[in-house]
Amino acid sequence: MSNQRIVHLECGKSTQVLYVLGTVINIDIYKPSPPGCRSFEVTTSPGVNYSISDKQNGSVVTHPAIRWALIKDSLLRVTVGQVSSAANDGKVKITFYGDDLDKPVDKMTLELTAVYVSLDVDADRDGIVEENNPNKSSWMWGPEGHGAILLVNCDKELLTTSEPDNMDDKVYTFEDLADMSRMIIRTEGPKLMPAGYTLNLHISPSDKKKVQLFRHEISSVTSVLGRTKELTAMDFTKGHNKIIFSAEGLAFPDNKTATLVTFNLSVVNQQLPIFTDQVVLHFAPWIMTPNTQAPEEVYVCSSPGNEKFLIEFKKFVQKAQCKLTICPVTEHAGDIWMQDEIEFGYIDAPHKFMNIVMDSPRNRGLKNFAYKFLLGRDFGRIDVKSDKIADSLDGFGNLEVSPPVTVNGKEYPLGRIVIGSHLPIHPDGRKMVKETQDLLMAQSVQSPIILYSDWLHVGHVDEFMTFVPAPDRKGFRLLLASPLSFYSLFKRLQKEGHGEAMMFDNAYRDPIKINDILKNQALHERNTHVQHCIDWNRDILKVELGLDEADIIDIPTLFKPTKAKTHVGAYFPDMVNMIVLGKYLGIPKPFGPLINGECALEAVVRSALEPLGLDCTFIDNFTSYHIGQGEVHCGSNVRRKPFTLKWWNMEI
């Protein structure tokens, strides 16, 4: 709302108005002037300032008791520099003169009660609600930016409550208020205030569904705005006052235009606002953490048949010095795919950090894991819901994020999200539900990339790509599954006289010779097509992540048709589908041919990754995960440390 306001005066009368510091009152002098008047003069009480403006001369700063010629467009602009000590103590008197310059014709008077009103938030993002920040009503990204931040309050402070804190209109503990954004109304006025003025705090109908505001009383905290309420009214009380509120986000935005919430504070008289102050808050985005971020906690399931895997996996996690949480069989109902059910991330504001787990709409046996094992104090949950029946691509093995990158001069300091989908020319193919994709797109800070993964039986991007840390270049390497590298390796081994060496020797299926694999022409042709699919994604990733060939490492992989024939799955345990814990890599044991006592596939991977300072541990997940179309990464999950960079300091 404009800080300018028109007030109409009448000759022979005194008009009383409430004036809000920082605004301008405009008074038309010409229209109410008596007939025959030629000039006028203005006198004011101390602290009341004015200027005269007209269309011809613009504004002219004046001094008391200066007479002015009365012309058609004369406009008096009045401001007050301090709060009134008593009601109506600010005076503006306008005296009119005709031909006799010593004899006044008439006069009109304005009496002002000056008050101070400010709606305040943490607009400079330092954790403190400063007073009347000039940038509080807008948002700007970057280290020199401004604008307050709002968190979705989706953790649970009390174990006795059944839902996240943002699901009701109650505040059960003072700790819950720490998750919210502080907002303050500050007012100053004389001890005796004019009657009939109220303070109205209001939001738009669309914003009321996104935010809830609590007012702090002496002995309680009450919901006053949001959900079903668009307006709350308060009396404009005398003296110096500070009314404290706390705002919580109710849901993560699902489109980019919904990331801002606006609160308006109006001074109202006779149901009309005479002044409006405004603040804008930006929802904190949900941020995923890439493999290059240090691990904090690892999650996996126990189930009949994966005892041997768990023994090896525990040793690996212990070596990486990470905390391990194991979901018992009684809690997952045979759904051992921990990666597919949840994705870890966080939200952050100057006043609060919160871990947030996103819960997939797949809703199989692990559907209650995030709710029962993770949701708690400072650990929130996003429950993605969809009317569409979830398919395989809705599992979060199909949701990854790159390390930070710079692409053609544009920085992505929090990396970029990677999602698998169908080819654009095949719109009827499988893809993530719209609700998940819309939510991810709306977070803005990790601009998603869409890849082609529908050629896989499961259809997840983690089946053909992952990222590992590196000490040089961009700080990481992209690992890509490569049938071409597999055939190149096996042809070399055959040429070196190892054609009779066996795949799967001492494994869980019938061994097969290198020679027999290489002479399977149908398998080779299918993997040629697979390589084309991976190369299609390779080209996208190089462009979207600003990668060179030296940033990519090809990992020998072989795929085979599944029962559906139209899709493929891993022929042997897919080594790209690994878990990354700092420099420690938990890699599916491939059961490749033994050459001089060493697995040839493991040797190739070691030679590619160990020079980067990475420690490779090959874990047997053949019966526990591989035969179910997954590997180590599919069956585990990692919560990682957040970025040190604050997202609001990004340049968008």
Side-chain angles (χ1 to χ4, degrees), residues 12-38:
K13 292 185 178 181
S14 179
T15 301
Q16 298 177 345
V17 301
L18 191 74
Y19 171 86
V20 180
L21 262 59
T23 64
V24 177
I25 287 180
N26 293 313
I27 302 169
D28 190 323
I29 298 175
Y30 181 79
K31 289 179 181 178
S33 62
C37 287
R38 301 286 184 268

Side-chain angles (χ1 to χ4, degrees), residues 456-498:
L456 287 153
H457 175 73
V458 177
H460 293 178
V461 292
D462 70 350
E463 297 177 75
F464 67 87
M465 62 165 289
T466 195
F467 299 95
V468 296
D472 57 357
R473 297 188 62 80
K474 296 177 175 63
F476 68 91
R477 293 290 191 275
L478 167 64
L479 307 188
L480 288 178
S482 175
L484 184 63
S485 293
F486 172 85
Y487 278 103
S488 176
L489 169 64
F490 270 41
K491 287 177 182 179
R492 176 174 63 80
L493 294 176
Q494 185 186 56
K495 187 176 181 179
E496 292 172 354
H498 300 293

Side-chain angles (χ1 to χ4, degrees), residues 129-341:
V129 180
E130 64 276 5
E131 188 167 350
N132 208 17
N133 188 299
N135 298 313
K136 63 187 180 181
S137 63
S138 63
W139 172 269
M140 188 173 81
W141 294 87
E144 304 302 321
H146 56 258
I149 294 169
L150 179 69
L151 295 178
V152 177
N153 188 24
C154 57
D155 69 340
K156 187 174 71 169
E157 298 296 336
L158 293 181
L159 295 178
T160 54
T161 58
S162 60
E163 295 289 345
D165 294 332
N166 61 332
M167 298 302 291
D168 58 31
D169 59 359
K170 306 294 183 184
V171 174
Y172 297 100
T173 68
F174 285 109
E175 288 80 5
D176 192 22
L177 293 174
D179 299 340
M180 304 184 196
S181 299
R182 185 63 59 92
M183 185 182 301
I184 298 175
I185 294 177
R186 294 181 170 98
T187 64
E188 289 184 56
K191 292 182 178 180
L192 183 63
M193 286 285 295
Y197 290 93
T198 61
L199 293 172
N200 286 3
L201 191 59
H202 52 102
I203 54 179
S204 69
S206 60
D207 281 352
K208 75 178 181 181
K209 299 176 182 179
K210 300 187 295 183
V211 68
Q212 180 166 222
L213 192 69
F214 294 92
R215 179 174 176 176
H216 296 221
E217 307 286 357
I218 295 176
S219 59
S220 64
V221 179
T222 307
S223 175
V224 295
L225 211 59
R227 297 195 186 276
T228 61
K229 294 171 283 190
E230 298 173 27
L231 181 144
T232 182
M234 298 153 280
D235 291 332
F236 197 123
T237 54
K238 63 184 180 181
H240 188 287
N241 291 280
K242 186 164 72 171
I243 309 172
I244 300 175
F245 301 88
S246 291
E248 68 173 3
L250 299 180
F252 285 87
D254 56 8
N255 64 76
K256 290 185 178 180
T257 60
T259 57
L260 297 177
V261 174
T262 301
F263 288 86
N264 300 282
L265 176 67
S266 295
V267 179
V268 177
N269 178 242
Q270 297 180 353
Q271 298 184 338
L272 293 174
I274 64 168
F275 166 81
T276 297
D277 203 6
Q278 187 179 84
V279 295
V280 168
L281 294 89
H282 192 293
F283 274 97
W286 180 73
I287 299 171
M288 286 180 63
T289 48
N291 288 347
T292 48
Q293 293 299 111
E296 292 195 319
E297 188 168 1
V298 179
Y299 301 83
V300 73
C301 294
S302 66
S303 68
N306 81 338
E307 295 89 352
K308 183 177 184 298
F309 166 82
L310 272 184
I311 291 172
E312 294 184 32
F313 191 78
K314 287 178 182 178
K315 289 180 180 178
F316 165 71
V317 174
Q318 186 177 15
K319 181 165 66 170
Q321 298 183 339
C322 285
K323 179 182 178 182
L324 177 63
T325 294
I326 299 176
C327 177
V329 66
T330 53
E331 299 295 340
H332 61 68
D335 178 17
I336 59 174
W337 308 106
M338 184 66 74
Q339 183 66 222
D340 290 342
E341 182 62 35

Side-chain angles (χ1 to χ4, degrees), residues 295 316-322 469 578-587 613-617:
F316 165 71
V317 174
Q318 186 177 15
K319 181 165 66 170
Q321 298 183 339
C322 285
M578 64 179 69
I579 180 173
V580 180
L581 304 179
K583 72 174 185 176
Y584 299 98
L585 310 181
I587 306 171
L614 300 171
D615 185 301
C616 300
T617 299

